[in-house]
Amino acid sequence: MARLFLKNPLGILAEGAEGGIVVEDGRIAELVPASAAPLGPVDETFDASRHVVLPGLVNAHHHFYQTLTRAHPAAVDKELFPWLTSLYPIWARLDPDAFRLSVRLALTELLMSGCTTAADHHYLFPKGLENGIDIEAEEAASLGIRATLTRGSMNLSQKDGGLPPDGVVQDEDTILADSERLIARYHDRAEGSMLQIALAPCSPFSVTKSLMVQSAELAEREDCRLHTHLGETKDENDYCQKLFGYRPLDYLEEVGWLGPRTWLAHGIHFTTEECARLGRHRVGICHCPTSNAVLASGFCPVEGLMAAGSPVGLGVDGSASNDASNLIESARHALMVGRLRTQSAAAVTSRDVLRWGTEGSAACLGRSDIGRIVVGLQADLALFALDELRFSGAHDPVAALVLCGATRADRVMVKGTWRVVDGMPLGVDVARLRAEHGAAAARFA
Ligand code: ZN
């Protein structure tokens, strides 16, 4: 097997690898200390002296299809509930061709921002798009990006007291049967897996209690993870109180979701006691700072959750509330939002937010084989060149990524294979993708 030596990085987010990394057979084979040489012979050397090397970023929450409705006049300047009710009827027009382009565009954008593993929460299955997750699996495989695709669901529509219109929901049997089909077909639990399936009823205000319970039981049987939106807005608290008679976290416990198999998107409106409870049960939280700012949802109490024992990761969230799919940019937002919330510069450092977006997100997805530069882990790497004007004069290269505002990786490696070279994704005609996706999106005006 060829051994590739990434030599003398300008900076690296790892201990004892100041001299570089040796990659072999899709894994990290050796960490090379400063001024040292690899222990064994190498077949190829890559000069990384222009690059800051990070573990590949891991995006723990997204809705790829929303790239079709960015900066949409029906939804801009609205908070979550009115934003959703404006967009549901527009999203109901989603068809397989537009969906495929939305997935390809979101994954390409993520990859170019240094992301090597992407989770998507897809919960819209209008007529004709029953095989939406299969489309996502095909697109992820063709780009060579690792993925956790969640089989999302909605089965509580307006006629039953839910938020979504009747036309965009499915019934419980259909959802569970498709979930089982997808797990059997795609869910690879092995170390180094390129594709995993998780189950993801959308939110308390769009699914029934019964579907939450059934999903938890299926996840337990099939050893897959559980994901949903929780604690995103005050409206959600009020809704749960009104419909179920208690707060969202009590609801989560009632339906059997309070455990280490679960990771939640947002996790904002929790009390101190609720944070402690989440931590005790090792429930993961995907912090989505950009989306939370755009929708004015609030601040995720990251340090409290982490201190309590919850893994905390980062997500861009859907591209209608971000409105980009750029994870390194969201790491910068996490630092800014965190410092505004804590009013402490030391409370949230550049390295902290990079760790949330790598090992924290990996923990949310239940993966111990990615997210860190450690011998034996998967060779998923993001290399950033500090060539742009915005980095000139920067002294700490790792902090510069966050503080000067990196937006684009120069090279990205997944499982030992380069997928982005000189800032461009391999095998993707970016100009053509932009034109085709833009044309498809025009139909959602
Ligand atoms: Zn979301």
Side-chain angles (χ1 to χ4, degrees):
M1 282 295 165
R3 276 165 55 90
L4 168 66
F5 178 29
L6 305 178
K7 188 180 175 183
N8 288 336
L10 182 61
I12 186 163
L13 192 70
E15 299 292 323
E18 293 73 16
I21 312 168
V22 177
V23 169
E24 183 177 7
D25 197 16
R27 294 176 198 224
I28 295 164
E30 206 182 314
L31 303 186
V32 181
S35 321
L39 296 172
V42 297
D43 304 290
E44 196 185 333
T45 299
F46 174 80
D47 177 5
S49 58
R50 283 173 58 235
H51 294 98
V52 181
V53 181
L54 301 182
L57 303 177
V58 179
N59 187 44
H61 185 68
H62 204 332
H63 312 285
F64 297 155
Y65 76 91
Q66 291 182 10
T67 56
L68 295 163
T69 56
R70 299 198 242 225
H72 199 291
V76 289
D77 309 330
K78 288 181 180 169
E79 289 159 24
L80 183 70
F81 275 25
W83 177 90
L84 277 172
T85 46
S86 305
L87 287 168
Y88 281 139
I90 297 168
W91 291 337
R93 295 183 226 146
L94 199 58
D95 63 83
D97 291 343
F99 181 64
R100 183 179 290 280
L101 287 166
S102 74
V103 172
R104 191 178 299 164
L105 187 107
L107 284 171
T108 304
E109 253 190 294
L110 283 169
L111 200 54
M112 291 170 78
S113 79
C115 177
T116 52
T117 300
D120 191 55
H121 187 174
H122 187 73
Y123 52 81
L124 269 182
F125 297 88
K127 225 175 169 36
L129 195 59
E130 289 81 2
N131 292 334
I133 306 296
D134 302 82
I135 291 175
E136 294 194 319
E138 286 167 20
E139 291 299 320
S142 124
L143 281 166
I145 191 167
R146 235 180 262 281
T148 294
L149 301 176
T150 78
R151 205 304 178 179
S153 52
M154 298 199 293
N155 72 334
L156 187 74
S157 64
Q158 284 163 1
K159 70 175 166 38
D160 301 312
L163 201 65
D166 301 338
V168 299
V169 301
Q170 293 180 298
D171 65 69
E172 186 176 304
D173 289 347
T174 305
I175 292 164
L176 292 169
D178 193 46
S179 301
E180 289 192 49
R181 176 187 74 82
L182 291 166
I183 291 168
R185 176 151 187 204
Y186 298 115
H187 187 46
D188 176 6
R189 302 163 187 82
E191 189 195 341
S193 164
M194 290 297 290
L195 179 55
Q196 298 191 334
I197 299 292
L199 302 182
C202 190
S203 59
F205 46 83
S206 58
V207 302
T208 59
K209 248 185 193 182
S210 164
L211 181 58
M212 291 293 283
V213 171
Q214 298 289 331
S215 298
E217 287 177 7
L218 181 57
E220 195 65 38
R221 265 202 316 278
E222 296 287 353
D223 186 24
C224 71
R225 296 185 76 76
L226 288 166
H227 182 52
T228 192
H229 294 95
L230 209 80
E232 184 173 2
T233 60
K234 287 204 183 73
D235 285 344
E236 175 194 306
N237 274 344
D238 298 344
Y239 182 91
C240 280
Q241 204 80 49
K242 202 169 127 210
L243 200 69
F244 309 118
Y246 39 54
R247 289 171 56 81
L249 190 59
D250 297 325
Y251 172 76
L252 204 71
E253 181 152 34
E254 159 105 6
V255 292
W257 275 55
L258 211 52
R261 199 178 281 293
T262 299
W263 92 101
L264 306 172
H266 304 295
I268 296 169
H269 296 281
F270 292 130
T271 64
T272 309
E273 182 277 325
E274 288 172 336
C275 288
R277 192 147 42 119
L278 285 162
R280 231 176 12 254
H281 292 279
R282 301 288 183 267
V283 175
I285 304 290
C286 176
H287 177 30
C288 304
T290 316
S291 167
N292 298 160
V294 167
L295 295 178
S297 301
F299 294 109
C300 173
V302 175
E303 300 74 32
L305 287 160
M306 287 180 75
S310 282
V312 173
L314 279 187
V316 297
D317 201 4
S319 289
S321 67
N322 180 311
D323 293 24
S325 304
N326 192 310
L327 194 51
I328 191 70
E329 203 175 75
S330 279
R332 172 170 162 89
H333 297 159
L335 177 125
M336 297 191 172
V337 160
R339 287 187 179 180
L340 278 173
R341 178 176 55 79
T342 56
Q343 295 183 37
S344 159
V348 185
T349 70
S350 299
R351 284 167 175 77
D352 288 338
V353 297
L354 293 173
R355 285 193 192 99
W356 300 347
T358 52
E359 59 186 281
S361 289
C364 284
L365 302 185
R367 309 263 327 222
S368 54
D369 56 344
I370 58 169
R372 289 175 302 147
I373 296 175
V374 170
V375 170
L377 267 64
Q378 294 292 300
D380 290 5
L381 302 168
L383 280 65
F384 294 83
L386 304 189
D387 297 341
E388 294 167 66
L389 294 180
R390 66 192 309 154
F391 295 111
S392 189
H395 293 270
D396 175 340
V398 175
L401 294 181
V402 177
L403 296 176
C404 305
T407 57
R408 191 162 168 179
D410 185 58
R411 284 199 168 231
V412 177
M413 174 184 281
V414 185
K415 211 179 178 74
T417 301
W418 292 117
R419 296 296 179 182
V420 173
V421 170
D422 297 334
M424 296 306 285
L426 298 181
V428 182
D429 181 339
V430 171
R432 184 175 164 193
L433 175 58
R434 171 67 182 85
E436 289 180 349
H437 178 276
R443 301 201 297 272
F444 294 83

